[in-house]
Amino acid sequence: MLDRKRFFFVGIGGSGMMPLAMILAARGGHVAGSDRGLDQGRVPAKFAALEALGIALHPQDGSGIVSAEQTVVASAAVEDSVADIVAATRVGAPRMTRAELNAALFNAAEQSIGIAGTSGKSTVTGMIGWILDRTGRAPTVMNGAVMKNFVAPDRPFASALVGSDASYVSEVDESDGSIALYHPTIAVLNNVSLDHKSLEELRALFGDFAAKARTTVLNIGDAEAAALATALDRDRLVTFAVDRDADLSARALVEEPFAVSFDLVADRETHPVRLAVPGRHNVANALAAIGAVRAAGVPLADAIAAIAGFAGLRRRFDLVGEAGGVAVIDDFGHNPDKIAATLATLHAHPGRLLVLFQPHGYGPLKQMRGELVATFLSGLADGDLLVLPDPVYQGGTVARDVGSAEIVGDIIAGGGLALHVPDRTEAAAHLVAQARPGDRIVVMGARDDTLSLLATGIVEQLPS
């Protein structure tokens, strides 16, 4: 079996790598790995959790790769000049990308549920995993975020859940085109919008993915996804939408600061639903999850009862703490859709927003420049303040001609209020100095686990 072999993960602490390593280790594989974050002393608790699972960790200097019997797993972004890759070539170790390994496990399952879309993948994956687990179906879940429901003293970083080999639930990534590797039994498509690729490329990738499945659960409330639905067999399609007719429709939304209630209309019957996570976007996520688990055989009443207990994900509108009347929220928002959803959820309730947005890379920032600026201009209200430190940069050859300064310049030119503070610590300190009772400080960004530590530090700096 694939999961009984020897694996070495290059970048084992990454959000897509860590859960895969945990799944393979729990299934009896011999797992080791390296990470620049480990070498730099970043987020030591995460690496301690991996070691507690029996996973051997090495410096990222090639010393951990010693045999052609090891399969070396790395993301497509890892360059051939990295010492571990050089070592793998020297000893003749076979290589797999993270997506190839995950797709192999996914495609081998009797029932595979793949969650796709530009936004909401991790949340829908967590919701589906939670419902299937609560209804006794023992799924294996591969997520890109920590699922709060499954966190325990021996699982502090629960981005994976290891259940049976028969049921595999995973978000699937379009950013590198690897979505094409997956052959789902049940496909979920949340939305289609600009992020890492052009819309033309995304339409082809998502359309092909949806067409492979026995059942496709699709959001017709999203114009791009709805257009893709026209090419699918209606007998294999389950539609969902907020405030419009669909197979699963949400009506009468009532938003709370950290929850939301709605009426679910399905099969001409209405069912009250309450979520312990906020926002209109999470209502759409819940419809996607309920549609998927129904296709997997879960009765609607059981799905509704289970989803009420979904506690959310870390770094998804995650209330870190409050001090002096100021709330601090940690959020994964990094593309226009995600950022817009978070800002809309926050502005459903009174209070000024002080936003620290750390772009997740120079390449994506250049790709999304216009849409990102438009999102902040429309999503921020009078009196809100946006501060951008420099983007995440962990080495490599990416062009850095569009950075945070250019984004801030565009926002100011459009009449918005924004500030470029290159150093992230100084950017956070600026927001703390500006904060007053009733404000919400929001830390936004991706690809950097230390943002959560920054958010915690902001709470500690606020006057009590």
Short mmCIF file of all heavy atoms in Angstrom, two decimals, residues 336-372:
data_model
loop_
_atom_site.label_atom_id
_atom_site.label_comp_id
_atom_site.label_asym_id
_atom_site.label_seq_id
_atom_site.Cartn_x
_atom_site.Cartn_y
_atom_site.Cartn_z
N PRO A 336 -9.52 38.41 -3.19
CA PRO A 336 -10.65 39.34 -3.13
C PRO A 336 -11.93 38.76 -2.55
O PRO A 336 -12.59 39.41 -1.73
CB PRO A 336 -10.82 39.75 -4.60
CG PRO A 336 -9.44 39.67 -5.17
CD PRO A 336 -8.82 38.47 -4.51
N ASP A 337 -12.30 37.55 -2.93
CA ASP A 337 -13.54 36.96 -2.42
C ASP A 337 -13.49 36.76 -0.91
O ASP A 337 -14.45 37.07 -0.19
CB ASP A 337 -13.80 35.62 -3.10
CG ASP A 337 -14.66 35.77 -4.35
OD1 ASP A 337 -14.90 36.92 -4.76
OD2 ASP A 337 -15.07 34.74 -4.92
N LYS A 338 -12.40 36.18 -0.42
CA LYS A 338 -12.28 35.91 1.02
C LYS A 338 -12.27 37.21 1.82
O LYS A 338 -12.91 37.31 2.87
CB LYS A 338 -11.01 35.11 1.30
CG LYS A 338 -11.03 33.66 0.81
CD LYS A 338 -9.73 32.96 1.21
CE LYS A 338 -9.76 31.47 0.90
NZ LYS A 338 -9.65 31.19 -0.54
N ILE A 339 -11.53 38.18 1.34
CA ILE A 339 -11.45 39.46 2.04
C ILE A 339 -12.82 40.14 2.05
O ILE A 339 -13.27 40.64 3.09
CB ILE A 339 -10.39 40.36 1.38
CG1 ILE A 339 -9.00 39.77 1.61
CG2 ILE A 339 -10.47 41.78 1.93
CD1 ILE A 339 -7.91 40.41 0.77
N ALA A 340 -13.51 40.13 0.92
CA ALA A 340 -14.83 40.74 0.84
C ALA A 340 -15.81 40.08 1.81
O ALA A 340 -16.60 40.76 2.47
CB ALA A 340 -15.36 40.66 -0.59
N ALA A 341 -15.75 38.75 1.91
CA ALA A 341 -16.65 38.03 2.81
C ALA A 341 -16.39 38.41 4.26
O ALA A 341 -17.33 38.63 5.05
CB ALA A 341 -16.49 36.52 2.63
N THR A 342 -15.13 38.50 4.65
CA THR A 342 -14.80 38.86 6.03
C THR A 342 -15.22 40.29 6.34
O THR A 342 -15.81 40.56 7.40
CB THR A 342 -13.29 38.68 6.27
OG1 THR A 342 -12.96 37.30 6.14
CG2 THR A 342 -12.90 39.15 7.67
N LEU A 343 -14.94 41.22 5.43
CA LEU A 343 -15.31 42.61 5.67
C LEU A 343 -16.83 42.76 5.76
O LEU A 343 -17.35 43.50 6.61
CB LEU A 343 -14.75 43.50 4.57
CG LEU A 343 -13.22 43.60 4.50
CD1 LEU A 343 -12.79 44.48 3.33
CD2 LEU A 343 -12.63 44.12 5.80
N ALA A 344 -17.55 42.06 4.89
CA ALA A 344 -19.02 42.13 4.92
C ALA A 344 -19.58 41.57 6.23
O ALA A 344 -20.52 42.13 6.81
CB ALA A 344 -19.61 41.38 3.73
N THR A 345 -19.00 40.48 6.69
CA THR A 345 -19.45 39.88 7.96
C THR A 345 -19.21 40.85 9.11
O THR A 345 -20.06 41.01 10.00
CB THR A 345 -18.71 38.56 8.20
OG1 THR A 345 -19.00 37.66 7.13
CG2 THR A 345 -19.14 37.92 9.51
N LEU A 346 -18.06 41.50 9.12
CA LEU A 346 -17.75 42.45 10.19
C LEU A 346 -18.64 43.67 10.13
O LEU A 346 -19.13 44.17 11.15
CB LEU A 346 -16.28 42.85 10.09
CG LEU A 346 -15.28 41.78 10.54
CD1 LEU A 346 -13.89 42.08 9.99
CD2 LEU A 346 -15.24 41.70 12.07
N HIS A 347 -18.89 44.17 8.93
CA HIS A 347 -19.69 45.39 8.81
C HIS A 347 -21.18 45.14 8.97
O HIS A 347 -21.97 46.10 8.95
CB HIS A 347 -19.40 46.07 7.47
CG HIS A 347 -18.19 46.95 7.51
ND1 HIS A 347 -18.00 47.91 8.48
CD2 HIS A 347 -17.09 47.01 6.72
CE1 HIS A 347 -16.85 48.53 8.28
NE2 HIS A 347 -16.26 47.99 7.22
N ALA A 348 -21.60 43.89 9.17
CA ALA A 348 -22.99 43.61 9.52
C ALA A 348 -23.30 44.07 10.94
O ALA A 348 -24.47 44.09 11.35
CB ALA A 348 -23.29 42.13 9.38
N HIS A 349 -22.25 44.47 11.68
CA HIS A 349 -22.41 44.91 13.07
C HIS A 349 -21.57 46.16 13.29
O HIS A 349 -20.57 46.38 12.59
CB HIS A 349 -21.99 43.79 14.02
CG HIS A 349 -22.69 42.50 13.75
ND1 HIS A 349 -23.98 42.24 14.16
CD2 HIS A 349 -22.30 41.41 13.04
CE1 HIS A 349 -24.34 41.04 13.73
NE2 HIS A 349 -23.35 40.51 13.05
N PRO A 350 -21.95 47.00 14.25
CA PRO A 350 -21.26 48.28 14.44
C PRO A 350 -19.81 48.09 14.88
O PRO A 350 -19.45 47.08 15.48
CB PRO A 350 -22.07 48.97 15.54
CG PRO A 350 -23.35 48.24 15.63
CD PRO A 350 -23.08 46.84 15.18
N GLY A 351 -18.99 49.10 14.58
CA GLY A 351 -17.61 49.10 15.04
C GLY A 351 -16.65 49.38 13.91
O GLY A 351 -16.81 48.89 12.79
N ARG A 352 -15.62 50.16 14.22
CA ARG A 352 -14.60 50.49 13.23
C ARG A 352 -13.67 49.30 13.02
O ARG A 352 -13.41 48.51 13.94
CB ARG A 352 -13.81 51.70 13.74
CG ARG A 352 -12.79 52.25 12.77
CD ARG A 352 -12.17 53.54 13.29
NE ARG A 352 -11.41 53.30 14.51
CZ ARG A 352 -10.27 53.94 14.82
NH1 ARG A 352 -9.78 54.85 13.97
NH2 ARG A 352 -9.64 53.70 15.94
N LEU A 353 -13.13 49.17 11.81
CA LEU A 353 -12.20 48.09 11.49
C LEU A 353 -10.79 48.65 11.34
O LEU A 353 -10.58 49.62 10.61
CB LEU A 353 -12.59 47.38 10.19
CG LEU A 353 -14.00 46.81 10.10
CD1 LEU A 353 -14.16 46.05 8.79
CD2 LEU A 353 -14.33 45.93 11.28
N LEU A 354 -9.84 48.02 12.01
CA LEU A 354 -8.42 48.29 11.84
C LEU A 354 -7.81 47.02 11.27
O LEU A 354 -7.72 46.00 11.97
CB LEU A 354 -7.76 48.66 13.17
CG LEU A 354 -8.41 49.82 13.95
CD1 LEU A 354 -7.67 50.06 15.27
CD2 LEU A 354 -8.44 51.09 13.13
N VAL A 355 -7.43 47.05 10.00
CA VAL A 355 -7.07 45.82 9.27
C VAL A 355 -5.57 45.81 8.97
O VAL A 355 -5.03 46.77 8.41
CB VAL A 355 -7.86 45.72 7.95
CG1 VAL A 355 -7.47 44.46 7.19
CG2 VAL A 355 -9.36 45.75 8.22
N LEU A 356 -4.92 44.72 9.35
CA LEU A 356 -3.55 44.45 8.93
C LEU A 356 -3.62 43.33 7.91
O LEU A 356 -3.99 42.21 8.23
CB LEU A 356 -2.67 44.05 10.11
CG LEU A 356 -1.17 43.89 9.83
CD1 LEU A 356 -0.37 44.15 11.10
CD2 LEU A 356 -0.82 42.50 9.31
N PHE A 357 -3.27 43.65 6.67
CA PHE A 357 -3.29 42.65 5.60
C PHE A 357 -1.87 42.42 5.11
O PHE A 357 -1.23 43.32 4.59
CB PHE A 357 -4.18 43.12 4.44
CG PHE A 357 -4.07 42.24 3.22
CD1 PHE A 357 -4.42 40.90 3.28
CD2 PHE A 357 -3.64 42.75 2.00
CE1 PHE A 357 -4.32 40.08 2.16
CE2 PHE A 357 -3.55 41.95 0.88
CZ PHE A 357 -3.89 40.62 0.96
N GLN A 358 -1.39 41.19 5.29
CA GLN A 358 -0.08 40.80 4.79
C GLN A 358 -0.27 39.98 3.52
O GLN A 358 -0.73 38.83 3.59
CB GLN A 358 0.69 39.98 5.83
CG GLN A 358 2.04 39.49 5.32
CD GLN A 358 2.79 38.70 6.37
OE1 GLN A 358 3.47 39.24 7.22
NE2 GLN A 358 2.65 37.37 6.32
N PRO A 359 0.05 40.52 2.35
CA PRO A 359 -0.11 39.75 1.11
C PRO A 359 0.68 38.45 1.16
O PRO A 359 1.77 38.40 1.73
CB PRO A 359 0.43 40.70 0.04
CG PRO A 359 0.28 42.07 0.63
CD PRO A 359 0.55 41.88 2.10
N HIS A 360 0.14 37.40 0.54
CA HIS A 360 0.74 36.07 0.69
C HIS A 360 1.78 35.76 -0.38
O HIS A 360 2.24 34.62 -0.49
CB HIS A 360 -0.33 34.99 0.73
CG HIS A 360 -1.16 34.85 -0.51
ND1 HIS A 360 -2.02 35.83 -0.94
CD2 HIS A 360 -1.27 33.84 -1.40
CE1 HIS A 360 -2.63 35.42 -2.05
NE2 HIS A 360 -2.19 34.23 -2.35
N GLY A 361 2.19 36.75 -1.14
CA GLY A 361 3.26 36.54 -2.11
C GLY A 361 3.24 37.63 -3.16
O GLY A 361 2.21 38.26 -3.43
N TYR A 362 4.40 37.84 -3.78
CA TYR A 362 4.50 38.88 -4.80
C TYR A 362 3.77 38.48 -6.08
O TYR A 362 3.14 39.31 -6.74
CB TYR A 362 5.97 39.17 -5.11
CG TYR A 362 6.64 39.98 -4.03
CD1 TYR A 362 7.33 39.35 -2.98
CD2 TYR A 362 6.60 41.37 -4.03
CE1 TYR A 362 7.95 40.08 -1.98
CE2 TYR A 362 7.21 42.12 -3.04
CZ TYR A 362 7.89 41.47 -2.01
OH TYR A 362 8.48 42.21 -1.02
N GLY A 363 3.85 37.20 -6.47
CA GLY A 363 3.17 36.75 -7.67
C GLY A 363 1.66 36.92 -7.60
O GLY A 363 1.06 37.56 -8.47
N PRO A 364 1.01 36.37 -6.56
CA PRO A 364 -0.44 36.57 -6.43
C PRO A 364 -0.83 38.04 -6.32
O PRO A 364 -1.87 38.45 -6.83
CB PRO A 364 -0.78 35.80 -5.14
CG PRO A 364 0.29 34.78 -5.01
CD PRO A 364 1.53 35.43 -5.55
N LEU A 365 0.01 38.84 -5.64
CA LEU A 365 -0.32 40.25 -5.49
C LEU A 365 -0.37 40.95 -6.84
O LEU A 365 -1.26 41.76 -7.12
CB LEU A 365 0.72 40.91 -4.58
CG LEU A 365 0.39 42.32 -4.07
CD1 LEU A 365 -0.88 42.31 -3.25
CD2 LEU A 365 1.53 42.88 -3.26
N LYS A 366 0.57 40.61 -7.70
CA LYS A 366 0.57 41.20 -9.04
C LYS A 366 -0.64 40.73 -9.85
O LYS A 366 -1.28 41.52 -10.55
CB LYS A 366 1.87 40.83 -9.76
CG LYS A 366 2.04 41.48 -11.12
CD LYS A 366 3.42 41.19 -11.70
CE LYS A 366 3.63 41.90 -13.03
NZ LYS A 366 5.00 41.66 -13.55
N GLN A 367 -0.98 39.45 -9.72
CA GLN A 367 -2.12 38.88 -10.46
C GLN A 367 -3.43 39.52 -10.02
O GLN A 367 -4.31 39.79 -10.85
CB GLN A 367 -2.17 37.37 -10.21
CG GLN A 367 -3.40 36.66 -10.75
CD GLN A 367 -3.26 36.29 -12.21
OE1 GLN A 367 -2.19 36.36 -12.77
NE2 GLN A 367 -4.36 35.89 -12.82
N MET A 368 -3.59 39.79 -8.72
CA MET A 368 -4.87 40.24 -8.17
C MET A 368 -4.92 41.74 -7.95
O MET A 368 -5.88 42.23 -7.36
CB MET A 368 -5.13 39.54 -6.83
CG MET A 368 -5.25 38.05 -6.88
SD MET A 368 -5.68 37.34 -5.26
CE MET A 368 -4.21 37.75 -4.30
N ARG A 369 -3.92 42.47 -8.38
CA ARG A 369 -3.77 43.88 -7.99
C ARG A 369 -5.07 44.69 -8.13
O ARG A 369 -5.54 45.29 -7.16
CB ARG A 369 -2.66 44.52 -8.81
CG ARG A 369 -2.42 45.99 -8.49
CD ARG A 369 -1.23 46.53 -9.27
NE ARG A 369 -0.96 47.93 -8.97
CZ ARG A 369 0.12 48.58 -9.40
NH1 ARG A 369 1.02 47.95 -10.14
NH2 ARG A 369 0.30 49.86 -9.08
N GLY A 370 -5.64 44.72 -9.31
CA GLY A 370 -6.82 45.54 -9.54
C GLY A 370 -8.02 45.09 -8.71
O GLY A 370 -8.71 45.91 -8.09
N GLU A 371 -8.27 43.78 -8.68
CA GLU A 371 -9.41 43.25 -7.93
C GLU A 371 -9.24 43.45 -6.43
O GLU A 371 -10.20 43.72 -5.71
CB GLU A 371 -9.60 41.76 -8.25
CG GLU A 371 -10.08 41.48 -9.67
CD GLU A 371 -8.97 41.59 -10.71
OE1 GLU A 371 -7.78 41.75 -10.32
OE2 GLU A 371 -9.28 41.51 -11.91
N LEU A 372 -8.00 43.30 -5.96
CA LEU A 372 -7.73 43.48 -4.54
C LEU A 372 -7.98 44.93 -4.11
O LEU A 372 -8.62 45.19 -3.08
CB LEU A 372 -6.28 43.09 -4.25
CG LEU A 372 -5.88 42.77 -2.82
CD1 LEU A 372 -6.70 41.63 -2.26
CD2 LEU A 372 -4.40 42.42 -2.78
#
